[in-house]
Amino acid sequence: MKEKLSCFHAAILVHMTQTGIVIFALPGLLAVQFGTNGWLAVPLYFIVTLINVSLIAIVYRVGEGKSIFDILERSIPKVMLYPLYVFLIGLWSLIGCIAAKKYILLFQLIAFPTTNPMAFKFVIDLLAYALIVKGLYNIAKTATVFFWLIIWMGLFLFYFFGDLEWVTFTPFVFQGGHHDVKTYFDIYAAFLGYELSLLFIGYSDRKTRLVKAIIWGNGITAINYILICLVSFGFFSLPQLKSLFVPLLDLLASIKLPFIERIENLLYGFFLFSTILTIGMYSWSAKEVSQRIFPTVRSRFLAFVIVLLSFIVSFIPKSLYEVDKWLRLLAYLEFWVAFGLPLLLISVLIVQRGSKGELSHG
Amino acid sequence: MSLRTNIQRWIFNKESAQSRPAEKLPDTERKPTLAQTLDEYKDCADLIHRTYPDIQVEVLYFGHMVNKDLLNREVIALLLNVEPDEVGNLLNQPQFKVANDSKGLIIGILSGQIAIFRGEIVYLADIRGPESRSVTQSETETVITGPHDAFNEEIDINLSLIRRRVKSSHLKVVKLSVGEITKTNVCVLYILDIVNMDYVDEFVRRIRAIEVDGIYDTNMLIQYIDDSPISIFPQFLTSERPDAIASKLLAGRVIGLVDGSPSVVSAPTSFFEFFSSSDDYYQRWSIGTATRLLRFIAFGITISFTSMYVSVTTFHYEMIPENLLLTLTESRSRVPFPPLYEALLMEVTIELLREAGARLPTKIGQTIGIVGGIVIGQAAVQAGLTSNILIIAVASSAIASFVIPSYVMSASIRLIRFSLIMAAGIWGNFGIAIAITALVIHMCGLTSLGSSYLTPVAPFKFKDWRDTFIRSPFKTLIERPSQSRTKNRIRNKMKK
């Protein structure tokens, strides 16, 4: 029997998929975009994600737990769906691949600057392949273990409590920000990942309480972000935060323990645990979609092709600047997919319900 | 198989064959006869063949496999004194069982039974005489408090040690035989109403599917029935302690005994089970908890200490505080090798010492330990082959590895340590993170008898943490572990 996701696993999986590389730049992005007390924007973003989750919940409820592919393929001919599938495969595998590249390039800011980044990318892709071929249930288990392996890092936040300058939390809210439209999407990228839970529907049952799990996962992410941003806004001044490229790394770099210091590269290494989950989940989603186009092909082979192609594509963006440009575009597209896909599914379900009603009446 | 077919099989969903070989049907059952049996044992000089012409009875047995007193009292004396017309009645007594197939008869004689041929009917009488070492203390699983008896190589004695502790008619035993030539007896034990029968069926199915000429030990058997034979991790727990095995039975596990082996297997098992010892339950809960936590800390130390040393001294000197940095630089100043070689040299030497100590008699083993300690501890540093701090790191991680109660798990972890050291030597902290990621991904895919190897962490079962990472007071240990998937979950009805 295929094992189903539990509520806890689904929640952690959502949280770990969301927690990726954007977390390092998030306090800086909030400072640039919103200005003073920018961390207060995190709950606002959380509310937007909740609206999106409510759309996913409608799909789950109205679709009676059917997989999104079954819903789509019941009403729309497969040939018409193929362009959408190809788009999703491309988008999701690229997000995974570019996120990995960004993680590596960021790491090279603190260590191994002369090593070819593609050597790191190769190893990370191997790990991603090993992860996705194990299937969603095992990915969820891995997410749970990684969650416990990194959650303790939250204790370091207490380290900064003595250094927080309460004066930086001015009574002025959102003053001195740029309020640039593109950056809104950049920040939203930190929350993206929950939309992949649409694909969990086929792997869950009533016990999973999927919607609750997605909300919980999202909630853990939001609390996490709020705490990190709160500490960052208290530790750094606003101009400092605006000028820092990766404030979280600078924050970690200031930790000094009696027997060890400058542990940012060690802790950044541990962030591989959540990054690999983000990469793995996007690649796994791409594989799930590709399985609908090639149902007879083994999923291992599909995973191999996806990972291989994304490895090849990741040779193209060379610098962090280029990678950021790619990620911005991908996050923008993913934002619309996150809202658009559930809306498409809801419309299809409404049509299906309508025709079902006609049949039963007629 | 052609390359093309192989590629097609890899790409497409065509499972042409099941991963495990199909079970063979038993040989055609034949009626046993004396001539045929004698023919089977041709050239077996140790086979004893006696005839009793007066009563037209012939007996076959291996003299060294039977209990001589029992043989004389229960068989020979009776056959010598019986009247010809009373033989039928005598052999109808319950200790004589009719052998209906020749294969069963052959195996019966081989396992120490006596075969009695009377006309066309053949009887078997069980008069095995176990020549085995007595029940002694386990050398690999010693405890400070608690029972000291341990299993030995005789399966019947092992069964009796378990039965003495679990006096329940619900304790069931399935007898199996493994090995085409050795025909080793294997017993599968479980407690009806507590165990999940799916586990029993799967365990028995896997053992029956073994097609090999022989097995000699439980640890060998479990490598044939592992869920993932190529994994470095043991996927079944073995123990030499009857009390530990009795507790596993009550926890809803399936138990396997192999004749000739003092190790007994328990399944399903989880990675964290290897960190618990019987001692934890015989001491106060607070001591048990502290000891158990210590073992997990030891696990962390053993896999990370040397690799962190390599990583920090090779790539990340900035991580060392200034005061410590001076000592470390001074210590490393005379060492001509990179930290990776230095660490590998020391780790290999420690492993050599351990292996030599394990193979030699205790007294010589001690000498090896002292000599090795002096050579490694002082001479290596004085000769400039290694730094003092590395000695501390290597020694700490070696000691920590021995804190893990299961020898099999401890050996696996020591091997993993080497891969972490290598990874640290190549890419520093990032290499360590990569190695841990790979390890976790691998472990999350592992199962034991189909249930997750990382239970109760993944899948997350918080209730089970009370008897995993800690050993909470007995009154709070109300339920059996969730990994057992038992319907009979409550084990303790006492009020808190």
Side-chain angles (χ1 to χ4, degrees):
Chain A
M1 201 186 88
K2 224 179 192 179
E3 297 206 65
K4 300 285 181 187
L5 287 175
S6 73
C7 183
F8 181 81
H9 279 161
I12 296 299
L13 190 54
V14 168
H15 164 64
M16 293 296 281
T17 311
Q18 287 179 305
T19 311
I21 34 155
V22 190
I23 194 173
F24 293 98
L26 187 63
L29 286 172
L30 288 170
V32 170
Q33 183 71 350
F34 295 98
T36 51
N37 285 311
W39 60 277
L40 282 171
V42 176
L44 302 178
Y45 273 95
F46 176 58
I47 292 166
V48 179
T49 60
L50 284 184
I51 296 168
N52 200 170
V53 172
S54 62
L55 294 177
I56 296 172
I58 295 170
V59 175
Y60 184 59
R61 293 271 151 77
V62 182
E64 291 164 350
K66 276 199 282 289
S67 111
I68 61 162
F69 303 113
D70 291 341
I71 295 170
L72 288 173
E73 286 166 16
R74 233 178 108 192
S75 297
I76 306 171
K78 257 194 165 181
V79 184
M80 283 174 71
L81 285 171
Y82 280 168
L84 173 70
Y85 285 174
V86 171
F87 169 72
L88 289 177
I89 295 167
L91 177 67
W92 286 341
S93 48
L94 272 179
I95 291 178
C97 138
I98 300 299
K101 182 90 187 226
K102 176 151 184 183
Y103 174 82
I104 292 158
L105 291 177
L106 275 182
F107 182 68
Q108 291 196 296
L109 291 178
I110 47 176
F112 301 104
T114 52
T115 311
N116 185 347
M118 292 315 287
F120 292 121
K121 180 74 172 62
F122 177 72
V123 178
I124 287 183
D125 281 353
L126 275 184
L127 291 175
Y129 173 75
L131 183 67
I132 58 181
V133 293
K134 290 193 187 300
L136 187 67
Y137 183 69
N138 281 326
I139 297 176
K141 284 199 300 186
T142 314
T144 314
V145 178
F146 283 151
F147 174 73
W148 293 116
L149 284 179
I150 61 168
I151 195 70
W152 62 271
M153 282 197 253
L155 294 174
F156 281 120
L157 290 176
F158 291 105
Y159 178 86
F160 299 102
F161 269 29
D163 298 321
L164 291 189
E165 295 285 341
W166 295 104
V167 72
T168 59
F169 298 108
T170 68
F172 299 100
V173 175
F174 298 164
Q175 297 298 311
H178 284 190
H179 299 284
D180 173 32
V181 179
K182 279 181 189 168
T183 317
Y184 282 122
F185 290 104
D186 287 348
I187 297 169
Y188 198 79
F191 287 86
L192 285 173
Y194 65 87
E195 74 284 358
L196 300 181
S197 54
L198 270 173
L199 300 174
F200 299 174
I201 296 175
Y203 294 88
S204 22
D205 55 16
R206 276 188 176 183
K207 279 185 190 168
T208 310
R209 286 169 290 169
L210 187 61
V211 178
K212 196 177 158 187
I214 303 168
I215 295 170
W216 267 106
N218 238 333
I220 299 169
T221 310
I223 292 168
N224 207 2
Y225 286 172
I226 289 171
L227 288 173
I228 290 170
C229 294
L230 189 73
V231 170
S232 303
F233 272 82
F235 189 79
F236 298 111
S237 68
L238 187 64
Q240 264 181 322
L241 255 188
K242 280 183 176 178
S243 64
L244 289 174
F245 183 53
V246 273
L248 184 58
L249 269 185
D250 295 300
L251 198 68
L252 295 174
S254 60
I255 296 173
K256 266 189 180 182
L257 300 174
F259 49 92
I260 203 164
E261 57 188 44
R262 296 288 310 277
I263 51 174
E264 78 276 16
N265 63 53
L266 181 65
L267 298 183
Y268 188 80
F270 289 156
F271 268 100
L272 176 67
F273 302 154
S274 68
T275 311
I276 198 80
L277 248 300
T278 311
I279 301 161
M281 276 310 294
Y282 275 103
S283 306
W284 173 83
S285 306
K287 188 216 77 183
E288 284 291 290
V289 184
S290 60
Q291 194 80 67
R292 303 305 284 203
I293 302 178
F294 308 104
T296 54
V297 178
R298 288 182 76 159
S299 70
R300 270 174 181 269
F301 181 70
L302 287 174
F304 175 74
V305 171
I306 286 167
V307 172
L308 180 70
L309 288 179
S310 48
F311 177 69
I312 294 167
V313 171
S314 60
F315 273 97
I316 303 170
K318 297 264 188 282
S319 62
L320 255 177
Y321 174 73
E322 281 175 69
V323 167
D324 276 340
K325 246 170 76 175
W326 279 54
L327 260 185
R328 177 171 287 173
L329 174 70
L330 293 169
Y332 180 74
L333 290 173
E334 184 62 8
F335 173 82
W336 292 113
V337 167
F339 279 88
L341 195 57
L343 284 173
L344 172 71
L345 286 159
I346 291 168
S347 356
V348 170
L349 282 167
I350 290 169
V351 173
Q352 281 173 4
R353 281 214 149 183
S355 55
K356 205 175 165 186
E358 271 175 30
L359 275 175
S360 61
H361 285 297
Chain B
M1 201 178 285
S2 71
L3 180 67
R4 195 179 156 187
T5 329
N6 270 327
I7 293 170
Q8 276 180 349
R9 279 188 66 192
W10 192 64
I11 296 177
F12 295 105
N13 280 320
K14 282 178 188 166
E15 293 294 333
S16 56
Q18 284 186 338
S19 53
R20 287 179 185 278
E23 274 182 51
K24 257 192 174 179
L25 284 170
D27 293 339
T28 320
E29 288 178 4
R30 290 177 297 174
K31 271 267 181 198
T33 62
L34 178 65
Q36 182 198 319
T37 313
L38 285 172
D39 187 50
E40 185 76 33
Y41 289 119
K42 197 166 68 181
D43 298 334
C44 293
D46 52 344
L47 183 80
I48 295 172
H49 180 193
R50 283 189 180 190
T51 52
Y52 299 86
D54 297 347
I55 51 172
Q56 293 182 330
V57 164
E58 306 208 29
V59 296
L60 288 182
Y61 61 95
F62 284 104
H64 48 79
M65 302 225 14
V66 298
N67 182 325
K68 299 238 165 55
D69 287 345
L70 215 57
L71 173 74
N72 287 330
R73 200 172 60 241
E74 296 282 325
V75 184
I76 308 293
L78 295 177
L79 290 177
L80 284 173
N81 298 323
V82 72
E83 294 297 324
D85 51 341
E86 289 292 315
V87 178
N89 286 342
L90 172 73
L91 293 174
N92 279 338
Q93 286 179 10
Q95 68 264 38
F96 301 104
K97 296 201 170 62
V98 176
N100 290 318
D101 64 294
S102 59
K103 197 178 174 186
L105 176 76
I106 301 290
I107 293 170
I109 297 172
L110 285 171
S111 45
Q113 297 187 57
I114 183 167
I116 303 160
F117 294 80
R118 182 173 178 262
E120 286 188 351
I121 308 172
V122 187
Y123 300 89
L124 278 173
D126 198 350
I127 48 162
R128 268 178 277 195
E131 292 293 330
S132 63
R133 78 184 162 96
S134 57
V135 175
T136 52
Q137 196 167 340
S138 167
E139 284 183 16
T140 52
E141 288 175 74
T142 44
V143 291
I144 298 150
T145 51
H148 291 281
D149 57 340
F151 293 121
N152 66 13
E153 287 74 14
E154 183 56 47
I155 197 166
D156 288 338
I157 293 177
N158 295 346
L159 274 169
S160 77
L161 287 173
I162 296 172
R163 280 250 184 237
R164 263 182 238 170
R165 283 182 167 80
V166 185
K167 295 184 189 74
S168 165
S169 59
H170 286 225
L171 173 61
K172 306 294 179 192
V173 179
V174 180
K175 279 200 168 183
L176 302 165
S177 170
V178 180
E180 294 286 321
I181 296 173
T182 61
K183 296 182 185 65
T184 311
N185 286 330
V186 174
C187 285
V188 176
L189 277 68
Y190 59 92
I191 297 183
L192 199 70
D193 300 336
I194 293 181
V195 78
N196 183 325
M197 284 309 286
D198 290 346
Y199 284 136
V200 179
D201 295 344
E202 178 62 15
F203 195 67
V204 170
R205 187 192 68 77
R206 287 189 193 182
I207 293 174
R208 283 199 172 129
I210 298 172
E211 285 189 42
V212 67
D213 54 355
I215 58 155
Y216 321 103
D217 187 60
T218 309
N219 291 303
M220 193 178 168
L221 175 94
I222 59 181
Q223 290 178 64
Y224 282 103
I225 59 170
D226 267 346
D227 295 43
S228 175
I230 55 163
S231 173
I232 193 169
F233 290 101
Q235 293 141 55
F236 292 104
L237 183 89
T238 53
S239 175
E240 292 188 8
R241 300 184 53 81
D243 54 327
I245 291 301
S247 79
K248 299 288 172 207
L249 275 167
L250 292 173
R253 313 287 195 203
V254 188
I255 301 301
L257 281 83
V258 175
D259 200 6
S261 170
S263 299
V264 173
V265 56
S266 152
T269 191
S270 84
F271 173 72
F272 304 100
E273 227 179 314
F274 289 90
F275 290 82
S276 71
S277 157
S278 304
D279 250 355
D280 304 348
Y281 299 95
Y282 303 139
Q283 302 194 43
R284 304 290 302 167
W285 73 271
S286 43
I287 311 292
T289 298
T291 321
R292 209 172 267 188
L293 287 173
L294 186 73
R295 288 190 202 117
F296 286 105
I297 294 169
F299 170 65
I301 290 172
T302 195
I303 65 163
S304 68
F305 254 40
T306 317
S307 52
M308 277 304 290
Y309 170 86
V310 171
S311 167
V312 167
T313 50
T314 314
F315 300 105
H316 309 291
Y317 263 109
E318 77 278 5
M319 287 174 70
I320 306 160
E322 206 178 327
N323 299 338
L324 194 61
L325 187 64
L326 291 173
T327 325
L328 186 68
T329 335
E330 193 187 12
S331 160
R332 266 204 52 76
S333 59
R334 287 184 62 214
V335 182
F337 318 118
L340 175 64
Y341 297 143
E342 185 193 359
L344 285 177
L345 181 77
M346 292 309 297
E347 288 285 356
V348 170
T349 316
I350 288 268
E351 286 302 309
L352 286 173
L353 270 174
R354 185 197 55 74
E355 189 62 16
R359 305 277 158 246
L360 288 167
T362 322
K363 282 178 186 169
I364 307 175
Q366 281 172 358
T367 320
I368 290 279
I370 295 161
V371 172
I374 293 166
V375 169
I376 293 172
Q378 282 192 299
V381 176
Q382 282 169 2
L385 290 175
T386 181
S387 70
N388 284 323
I389 292 176
L390 178 68
I391 295 278
I392 297 167
V394 170
S396 315
S397 57
I399 291 166
S401 78
F402 295 114
V403 173
I404 297 157
S406 162
Y407 178 78
V408 186
M409 178 55 84
S410 153
S412 302
I413 288 169
R414 276 204 306 277
L415 206 56
I416 291 165
R417 195 170 63 196
F418 279 94
S419 55
L420 258 90
I421 294 169
M422 303 275 234
I426 298 167
W427 278 341
N429 290 340
F430 188 65
I432 294 176
I434 282 178
I436 295 174
T437 308
L439 195 66
V440 171
I441 292 173
H442 169 67
M443 288 175 82
C444 285
L446 285 182
T447 53
S448 169
L449 219 57
S451 80
S452 178
Y453 192 57
L454 289 183
T455 309
V457 171
F460 182 68
K461 308 279 178 192
F462 190 65
K463 275 186 182 174
D464 289 355
W465 284 32
R466 281 184 289 194
D467 194 17
T468 305
F469 298 106
I470 59 167
R471 206 284 278 162
S472 64
F474 284 122
K475 282 191 179 179
T476 61
L477 298 177
I478 293 165
E479 293 184 358
R480 297 197 163 83
S482 57
Q483 195 184 24
S484 301
R485 291 183 193 157
T486 170
K487 285 178 187 166
N488 193 349
R489 289 212 69 179
I490 305 297
R491 70 191 316 178
N492 180 355
K493 290 177 185 163
M494 284 176 78
K495 285 177 186 159
K496 280 185 194 175

